[in-house]
Amino acid sequence: MTDTLDGEYRTGQIKLHDAAGFEGMRKAGRLGAECLDMLAPYVVPGVLTEKLDDLAREFILDHGALPACLGYRGYTKTVCISPNHIVCHGIPGERVLREGDIVNIDVTVIVDGWHGDTSRMYGVGAVAPRAKRLVDVTYEALQRGLDAVKPGARTGDIGHAIQTYVESMRCSVVRDFCGHGLGRVFHDAPNILHFGQKGTGELLKPGMFFTIEPMVNLGKHPVKLLADGWTAVTRDKSLSAQCEHSCGVTETGIEVFTLSPTGQFKPPITVA
C-alpha cells in the first residue's frame, strides 16, 4: 500500500475538506476507537502481542473496513504495539505482555476511503506509580494540544502547549516523530510537531484534518531505531507513553473524530 487511495496522493499541499469529508472522518474515527475499545479486555498479563493484532485485524475486516497499516511500506501487521520503553511502531509478535507493563496500541482503519488513526495507553495489571503518572501526563499533554486548535491559530501553538506542559512535569517530548495530515491519504501535510513556539508554523483553517499524537518520555527525549527498521525506543531505556486523536478544524474550533463511543479513550490504570 502507498500513500494513495481513490486517486488522491500526498502532494505536500494542505487539503481543506468539506462536510462530506467530515462525515467520512467521523465514521472512520469511530471505528478506530471501537477497535481499541474492543481490545481493552484482552490487554492482560500473559497475552501475546500477536494475539491482539489478530483480534484487531478480524474486527476491522468484520466491519467492512481495511487495516491501513497492513502492507504499508512493507509493514506486515495490523496495529503497532509499543510496551514500556518502546516509543512507537512496535511490531506485534511473540512478545508476552507482563504484569506492570504499560503499552500503547496504535490503529488506523480505512472506511470508504477515509483514514481513522488513533492510539491509547493500557496498563497491564497493576503498574508502578511513576508509570501511571507518565501516562496521565501524556493524556493531559494531548488534551492541551487539542485545546490549542482553532481557526487562526498555528501549528506551533499546538506544539508549544504540549511541550511547556510536559517539561513542567519533568518529562520530555520526543522530537523524532510528529502528527500529520490525513483524510483519504494516510500521511499528508501538515506535520504537527509536539514542541515549538507560539505563533509559528502553518495557519490553521477550517477543513484541515490531522493527528495530534504526543510521545512523552520519563527520561530524556532522544530515541533510536532498531534493526527491524520500525521499532523506536528511548536511548536511555526510560519509559515512554503516547496517545493520539484524529481531528478536524471547524469554523469555531475542533472536532475530534476518534473519541471512544463508550468513554474508554483513557482506560483506567491500576497502581501497584
Side-chain angles (χ1 to χ4, degrees):
M1 182 181 294
T2 61
D3 268 347
T4 174
L5 194 70
D6 292 347
E8 289 206 15
Y9 294 82
R10 180 183 174 100
T11 63
Q13 301 297 312
I14 297 172
K15 298 177 176 67
L16 301 180
H17 299 85
D18 59 13
F22 275 84
E23 184 57 30
M25 289 297 288
R26 288 182 194 116
K27 292 177 180 177
R30 182 183 177 94
L31 186 65
E34 288 174 341
C35 182
L36 294 182
D37 286 353
M38 177 276 298
L39 289 175
Y42 300 97
V43 184
V44 294
V47 70
L48 285 172
T49 54
E50 189 166 46
K51 171 64 174 177
L52 298 175
D53 189 73
D54 290 342
L55 288 168
R57 183 170 58 257
E58 292 168 6
F59 178 89
I60 294 166
L61 295 175
D62 286 349
H63 284 77
L66 295 173
C69 290
L70 187 60
Y72 178 76
R73 297 183 179 176
Y75 193 74
T76 60
K77 301 296 182 178
T78 294
V79 298
C80 298
I81 301 181
S82 305
N84 300 330
H85 76 294
I86 298 178
V87 175
C88 62
H89 303 156
I91 303 172
E94 296 302 310
R95 179 166 182 157
V96 175
L97 296 183
R98 303 189 183 281
E99 181 86 17
D101 286 347
I102 55 170
V103 58
N104 175 271
I105 302 180
D106 189 342
V107 64
T108 306
V109 303
I110 306 173
V111 179
D112 298 329
W114 296 96
H115 290 74
D117 188 0
T118 182
S119 80
R120 67 182 71 159
M121 295 299 298
Y122 302 83
V124 184
V127 308
R130 69 191 184 103
K132 183 181 185 303
R133 179 180 181 275
L134 172 65
V135 172
D136 289 342
V137 167
T138 305
Y139 273 93
E140 178 62 23
L142 172 60
Q143 187 58 54
R144 293 190 181 214
L146 295 169
D147 291 344
V149 175
K150 60 183 178 181
R154 292 190 175 269
T155 54
D157 299 340
I158 301 171
H160 178 79
I162 291 170
Q163 181 184 11
T164 53
Y165 170 71
V166 168
E167 292 179 353
S168 76
M169 301 304 289
R170 299 184 180 180
C171 297
S172 63
V173 178
V174 171
R175 267 72 161 171
D176 300 69
F177 301 95
C178 61
H180 53 88
L182 83 169
R184 296 182 74 84
V185 178
F186 192 173
H187 295 97
D188 210 348
N191 288 334
I192 305 295
L193 303 181
H194 304 119
F195 59 97
Q197 297 182 351
K198 282 185 176 181
T200 64
E202 299 287 351
L203 184 69
L204 300 185
K205 300 178 181 180
M208 291 172 64
F209 296 162
F210 48 81
T211 69
I212 304 177
E213 47 186 297
M215 303 167 203
V216 179
N217 296 346
L218 199 56
K220 297 180 180 180
H221 69 77
V223 306
K224 65 179 180 180
L225 193 65
L226 298 187
D228 60 30
W230 287 100
T231 308
V233 301
T234 55
R235 283 191 174 274
D236 60 8
K237 299 189 185 305
S238 63
L239 291 176
S240 186
Q242 180 192 18
C243 49
E244 174 185 13
H245 272 316
S246 296
C247 62
V249 183
T250 69
E251 295 291 340
T252 57
I254 185 173
E255 180 175 346
V256 179
F257 300 123
T258 46
L259 293 172
S260 165
T262 57
Q264 296 183 67
F265 180 67
K266 185 180 179 183
I269 293 180
T270 302
V271 177

